[in-house]
Amino acid sequence: MEGEVQGHVEQTARDAKPQASGIENLAYGSLSGMMGKFVEYPFDTVKVRLQTSETQVFSGTLDCLKQTWQHEGFRGFYRGLTSPLLGAMAENAVAFYAYNQIQSIIRSASHDSSAGLSLPQLFASGALSGSICAFVISPVELVKCKLQVENVQGYASGAQTSRVKFQGPVSVVAHLLKTQGVGGLYKGILPTVARETLGVGFWFGTYELVCQMLLNVQNRDGSAKLTKSDLGAGSIVLAGGCAGIGYNITSYPIDVVKSFIQTDDVRAAASKERAGIVSTIKTVYSRGGIAAFYRGLGITLIRAFPANAAMFMTYEYLTRLSAALHSH
C-alpha cells in the first residue's frame, strides 16, 4: 500500500497542472485562512477557556458553552476575533507560500524540477513552513488568548461579567508594549514553534496522504491516471478535515502549555504559577494528570474538521480556477 501511495505522489507531481505563483499562493492562502477562522473561532474560544480555567469553573465543554452564552451572549464566542482573523489570513498565506517554495527547493536540489516528492519530504516541507508560521502567529495568539480568557475569572464568583481590563486587540498590544516591550508580544514563542512545526507537518502530510489514498482507489480501474486536481469536492472535504484532525491530535498537549503560558497574567488573581515551560507542564499535570493536557480536545476536533475542510476547499478551488484561467 505504501508503495502504491508513493507512486501516486510522484505521478501527481509529474502530471499536475501549472502551479500557482508565489503571489497567488499568498492570496489564496490568506482567503482560505479567513474562511476557516470564521468557522472555527467559537469553538476555539471554548477550547482556550477549558484549557486555561480552573476545573471548578467549567464542568466540561457543554457547561462552558452554556456559561459563555449566559454571561456574554453570542458575542462572547467571537470575543477577540479581529486579531486572529488577520493572523489566520497571514498565517495561511505564509504556510501555503512556504510549503510550495520549500517543495520547489527540494526538487531543485534533486536536479529534477518535475520529480515527485515522497511523503516524508512533504511532511518535512510542512514542518519547515510551520516553524516559519510560528513567528507570524505567536503575537496574534497571545492577544487572542488574553481576550478569550479574561472574562472567565468572574464566572466562578457568580458575577454576570468580570471587570474587563482590555477593550480589544489594540489595547492588549499597547499594554504589552508599554509593560514588556516588543519581547512581550512573543511570550510563549518556544511552545508555539514546537506546536506549529509538528502540527503543520502533520497538517500538510495528512492532507497529501489522504488525497493520494483516494487517488489510489480511483485509479485502480486502469483508465487514465487522475491527479489531485481531479479530486471532487467530497474528497477535498475529507482530506482537509482529516488534516485538521491530524494537526490537533499531534500538537494539542503543546498547545495547552502554550495557552497556559500566554494567559498567566490574566489568570493571576486565581493562579500564582510561574510561566516557565517546565513549571507550566508540572502545573497542568497536577490538575488531572495526562488527561489535563487534552482538556478541550473534544470540541477542538469537532471544529477542526469543518474549519480545515473549508480552508483546503477554498485554496484548492482558487488554485484550480487560476490554472484554468492561465491555460486560456
Side-chain angles (χ1 to χ4, degrees):
M1 180 65 180
E2 182 179 353
E4 293 177 346
V5 170
Q6 177 59 38
H8 283 296
V9 171
E10 295 174 351
Q11 185 68 34
T12 298
R14 296 189 189 103
D15 296 343
K17 296 176 182 178
Q19 296 294 309
S21 67
I23 296 297
E24 288 171 330
N25 274 316
L26 289 170
Y28 302 158
S30 177
L31 289 172
S32 70
M34 181 180 68
M35 290 294 294
K37 186 56 64 177
F38 275 120
V39 173
E40 75 171 7
Y41 196 77
F43 301 99
D44 186 67
T45 295
V46 173
K47 178 206 74 171
V48 172
R49 290 182 172 189
L50 286 171
Q51 285 179 334
T52 59
S53 65
E54 299 287 346
T55 54
Q56 64 265 30
V57 177
F58 303 119
S59 62
T61 298
L62 292 179
D63 185 48
C64 184
L65 286 166
K66 177 182 177 181
Q67 288 203 53
T68 299
W69 179 265
Q70 290 178 337
H71 289 280
E72 302 175 69
F74 180 78
R75 294 181 62 184
F77 294 102
Y78 281 93
R79 178 168 168 77
L81 172 63
T82 303
S83 174
L85 180 62
L86 295 175
M89 295 173 70
E91 179 189 18
N92 275 44
V94 172
F96 280 102
Y97 176 81
Y99 181 60
N100 285 287
Q101 290 299 114
I102 292 168
Q103 288 184 69
S104 296
I105 292 173
I106 294 175
R107 291 192 185 97
S108 297
S110 67
H111 305 293
D112 184 357
S113 60
S114 64
L117 300 186
S118 67
L119 286 173
Q121 287 175 320
L122 292 170
F123 174 89
S125 297
L128 287 173
S129 70
S131 64
I132 296 171
C133 288
F135 291 91
V136 175
I137 198 64
S138 186
V140 175
E141 291 213 348
L142 177 65
V143 173
K144 170 186 75 74
C145 287
K146 289 182 183 300
L147 289 172
Q148 286 176 322
V149 171
E150 189 178 38
N151 279 346
V152 175
Q153 298 309 315
Y155 286 12
S157 65
Q160 280 299 107
T161 56
S162 61
R163 179 180 62 84
V164 179
K165 179 179 178 182
F166 302 119
Q167 299 303 311
V170 175
S171 66
V172 177
V173 173
H175 172 77
L176 290 171
L177 290 175
K178 180 179 179 180
T179 59
Q180 301 176 41
V182 175
L185 296 174
Y186 282 90
K187 185 175 185 178
I189 183 62
L190 290 180
T192 302
V193 170
R195 183 199 69 182
E196 291 298 288
T197 300
L198 179 65
V200 177
F202 273 95
W203 192 57
F204 279 118
T206 301
Y207 179 74
E208 299 286 359
L209 174 61
V210 174
C211 283
Q212 302 314 318
M213 291 177 69
L214 292 171
L215 285 171
N216 181 54
V217 172
Q218 295 180 28
N219 285 328
R220 280 180 177 171
D221 60 6
S223 60
K225 293 295 184 181
L226 301 178
T227 69
K228 190 165 68 175
S229 61
D230 296 311
L231 289 174
S235 296
I236 300 301
V237 166
L238 178 60
C242 288
I245 299 296
Y247 172 94
N248 284 285
I249 287 179
T250 56
S251 65
Y252 197 81
I254 305 173
D255 187 56
V256 171
V257 173
K258 187 273 305 177
S259 296
F260 216 87
I261 289 173
Q262 291 184 328
T263 60
D264 72 312
D265 56 334
V266 178
R267 297 177 293 102
S271 176
K272 301 298 182 183
E273 301 96 348
R274 293 174 54 198
I277 294 176
V278 175
S279 61
T280 297
I281 292 174
K282 291 180 178 178
T283 298
V284 174
Y285 186 82
S286 70
R287 292 187 171 196
I290 297 298
F293 291 93
Y294 291 92
R295 191 170 187 230
L297 177 61
I299 194 166
T300 299
L301 296 181
I302 290 173
R303 60 90 168 168
F305 196 98
N308 287 275
M311 279 190 271
F312 277 102
M313 274 282 288
T314 301
Y315 181 81
E316 281 290 344
Y317 277 91
L318 284 174
T319 54
R320 291 181 188 185
L321 175 62
S322 173
L325 292 176
H326 288 166
S327 65
H328 288 85

